[in-house]
């Protein structure tokens, strides 16, 4: 049984799916210097609405609506599976609740602030649990099928797609909506990553010799996954098919990857074995490529160890910023667009490579059959997923 993708909903700091893809190909970046919180200094961010952090509920509603429209589907979709994840979820609202407690109870001498800055009430806490985005999606499409809400740090996006794939392959569903969303521009997120020294000061430069850290970004991507026979019967357009995936965990550190790379390597080899393809059959790798010193070095060594030296590699985080749990979903969407348009997206932000990789510097027309997408998250979460052209795959836009 083949599992194909028939719809995509994507929103990033560069816009919708079509707009983001076009701007990535042109080498544009959605990263700007912003100061959304007066208590924190200005820094580079990839915000969707300029200086105002996006609301997660509005984001998931827009993504689901776009994906359904793209797939020519209309609710109710009673038997759909739902697999939607987020690494941060409704953290912004939870921070507001915490701040309200500190302010109203004056626990630490906080100055009183206007009530309009504290729109969240204590009774709303239940609405901000980690699985809320998946439940909201199920309600939007009116599904009574299974709901999953994976959370695997920055590997969440690929985990969601892999689990949606499994629901179809194992016969639980014929159709699934899967993906990940992130609205992580919050004071605590920024302060935490700054304290770790992980955030860039000027911009995002994946695999570059002068890379200085990652840039937080907002966004998400959701997909309509279908049994190929069902998609054929309803004459759906097809972006591509999922071949297989690999998921492992380093069990090594809360933040740093295992520098030996053994379990990360196993995630990739598991993916290739399940996909029944060899390393030299992969034509393009959409890398995790965060722009941090350690991640890019770790990932470059993995790629160099396993794949031919001429394999094309790029990261799009220099354009969209690092959308944390949603980043793997965005990367998967870009992999699909590469297949449908037979073009390689550039590694935006790259000036001088620090590694012996065939990094894509400008859009390249080429023959693509198989694409690999990689994600590596805090806590050693490793994810790889392979996709390929479907016999009926056509170009869009």
């Amino acid at each position: 049984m083949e599992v194909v993708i028939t719809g995509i909903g994507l929103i990033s700091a560069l816009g919708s799916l079509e707009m983001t893809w076009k701007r990535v190909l042109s080498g544009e970046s959605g990263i700007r210097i912003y100061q959304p919180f007066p208590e924190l200094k200005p820094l580079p961010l990839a915000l969707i609405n300029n200086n105002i952090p996006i609301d997660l509920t509005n984001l998931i509603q827009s993504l689901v609506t776009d994906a359904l429209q793209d797939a020519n589907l209309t609710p109710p979709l009673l038997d759909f599976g739902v697999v939607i994840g987020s690494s941060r979820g409704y953290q912004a609202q939870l921070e507001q609740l915490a701040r309200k407690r500190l302010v109203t109870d004056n626990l630490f001498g906080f100055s009183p602030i206007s009530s309009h800055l504290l729109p969240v009430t204590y009774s709303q806490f239940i609405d901000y649990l980690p699985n809320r985005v998946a439940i909201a999606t199920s309600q939007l499409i009116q599904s009574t099928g299974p709901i999953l809400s994976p959370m695997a740090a920055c590997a969440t996006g690929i985990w969601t797609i892999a689990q949606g794939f499994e629901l179809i392959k194992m016969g639980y569903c014929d159709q699934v909506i899967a993906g990940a969303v992130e609205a992580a521009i919050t004071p605590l997120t920024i302060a935490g990553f700054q304290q770790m020294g992980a955030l860039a000061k000027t911009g995002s430069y994946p695999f570059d010799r002068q890379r200085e850290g990652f840039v937080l970004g907002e966004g998400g991507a959701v997909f309509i996954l279908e049994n190929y026979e069902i998609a054929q019967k309803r004459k759906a357009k097809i972006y591509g098919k999922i071949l297989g995936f690999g998921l492992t965990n380093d069990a090594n550190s809360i933040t740093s990857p295992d520098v030996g790379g053994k379990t990360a390597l196993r995630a990739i080899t598991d993916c290739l074995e399940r996909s029944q393809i060899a390393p030299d059959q992969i034509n393009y790798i959409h890398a995790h490529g965060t722009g941090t010193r350690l991640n890019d070095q770790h990932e470059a060594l993995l790629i160099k160890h396993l794949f031919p030296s001429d394999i094309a590699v790029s990261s799009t985080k220099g354009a969209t910023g690092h959308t944390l749990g949603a980043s793997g979903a965005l990367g998967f969407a870009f992999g699909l667009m590469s297949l449908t348009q037979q073009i390689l997206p550039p590694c935006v932000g790259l000036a001088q490579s620090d590694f012996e990789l065939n990094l894509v510097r400008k859009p390249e027309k080429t023959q693509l059959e198989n694409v690999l997408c990689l994600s590596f998250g805090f806590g050693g979460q490793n994810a790889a997923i392979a996709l390929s052209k479907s016999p009926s795959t056509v170009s869009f836009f």
Side-chain angles (χ1 to χ4, degrees):
M1 179 196 301
E2 291 187 348
V3 178
V4 297
I5 299 90
T6 60
I8 305 175
L10 182 146
I11 298 174
S12 76
L14 292 174
S16 64
L17 172 65
E18 180 179 357
M19 183 61 68
T20 296
W21 180 243
K22 287 182 177 179
R23 295 176 72 180
V24 166
L25 292 182
S26 68
E28 291 185 52
S29 175
I31 297 169
R32 303 287 185 272
I33 301 296
Y34 294 111
Q35 189 180 14
F37 309 108
E39 65 269 32
L40 298 175
K41 294 180 180 179
L43 76 165
L45 297 168
L47 289 164
I48 292 171
N49 297 321
N50 293 323
N51 208 44
I52 303 173
I54 195 167
D55 177 78
L56 190 65
T57 298
N58 292 338
L59 178 59
I60 191 63
Q61 288 175 344
S62 297
L63 289 168
V64 171
T65 299
D66 289 349
L68 294 180
Q69 183 177 355
D70 190 37
N72 195 28
L73 291 167
T74 304
L77 302 168
L78 299 178
D79 298 324
F80 256 64
V82 174
V83 191
I84 303 292
S86 178
S87 73
R88 297 284 164 169
Y90 284 94
Q91 182 175 317
Q93 285 74 16
L94 294 175
E95 286 184 38
Q96 287 179 330
L97 281 172
R99 184 173 175 83
K100 183 172 184 176
R101 171 77 192 283
L102 293 174
V103 172
T104 55
D105 294 355
N106 203 26
L107 297 180
F108 295 100
F110 274 68
S111 300
I113 62 176
S114 301
S115 59
H116 76 276
L117 295 177
L118 301 169
V120 179
T121 64
Y122 293 132
S123 62
Q124 290 177 280
F125 174 79
I126 196 69
D127 293 330
Y128 305 127
L129 295 177
N131 65 336
R132 186 60 190 171
V133 287
I135 293 173
T137 301
S138 179
Q139 291 171 339
L140 283 169
I141 68 173
Q142 300 174 49
S143 170
T144 56
I147 301 177
L148 300 175
S149 184
M151 183 186 291
C154 301
T156 299
I158 289 180
W159 274 75
T160 64
I161 299 162
Q163 289 191 317
F165 172 76
E166 283 289 275
L167 284 176
I168 295 175
K169 293 287 285 187
M170 296 174 69
Y172 291 106
C173 307
D174 285 324
Q175 297 166 301
V176 171
I177 184 167
V181 294
E182 210 71 88
I185 309 299
T186 75
L188 182 60
T189 302
I190 292 172
F193 282 129
Q194 281 184 327
Q195 189 70 19
M196 291 171 56
L199 294 185
K201 296 180 180 179
T202 64
S204 177
Y205 318 113
F207 298 109
D208 192 83
R209 188 163 294 177
Q210 302 301 320
R211 67 193 186 279
E212 55 185 40
F214 67 79
V215 172
L216 282 168
E218 298 177 325
V222 298
F223 307 88
I224 305 300
L225 277 52
E226 299 191 59
N227 180 326
Y228 179 50
E229 294 180 359
I230 298 297
Q232 272 191 315
K233 286 180 181 178
R234 69 181 196 87
K235 298 181 180 179
K237 68 181 179 185
I238 294 174
Y239 285 93
K241 64 180 178 181
I242 300 172
L243 297 177
F245 64 88
L247 308 170
T248 63
N249 175 48
D250 291 348
N252 175 67
S253 165
I254 294 176
T255 58
S256 301
D258 178 6
V259 293
K262 185 179 298 184
T263 48
L265 191 65
R266 183 162 59 84
I268 300 173
T269 55
D270 284 352
C271 174
L272 296 177
E273 288 175 7
R274 290 168 183 157
S275 302
Q276 298 184 339
I277 54 176
D280 61 5
Q281 291 178 283
I282 296 292
N283 308 119
Y284 165 61
I285 296 175
H286 186 282
H288 191 53
T290 61
T292 63
R293 304 302 300 182
L294 189 58
N295 174 86
D296 289 7
Q297 181 181 29
H298 172 68
E299 189 169 15
L301 289 173
L302 290 173
I303 294 171
K304 187 176 179 181
H305 176 78
L306 190 58
F307 294 93
S309 60
D310 61 347
I311 190 168
V313 179
S314 69
S315 165
T316 52
K317 289 184 176 63
T320 65
H322 188 0
T323 55
L324 303 182
S327 63
L330 266 68
F332 186 78
F334 297 141
L336 289 168
M337 296 307 296
S338 297
L339 284 172
T340 58
Q341 295 197 354
Q342 295 290 284
I343 190 168
L344 298 172
C347 193
V348 178
L350 176 67
Q352 187 175 11
S353 175
D354 201 26
F355 306 99
E356 295 178 0
L357 296 176
N358 180 22
L359 294 162
V360 182
R361 295 178 178 271
K362 60 183 180 179
E364 297 179 24
K365 281 284 187 180
T366 188
Q367 295 295 315
L368 293 175
E369 291 292 333
N370 303 308
V371 169
L372 183 70
C373 299
L374 302 177
S375 286
F376 303 102
F378 272 7
Q381 304 279 357
N382 309 306
I385 193 164
L387 53 150
S388 75
K389 291 176 62 177
S390 179
S392 58
T393 298
V394 295
S395 296
F396 306 109
F397 308 130

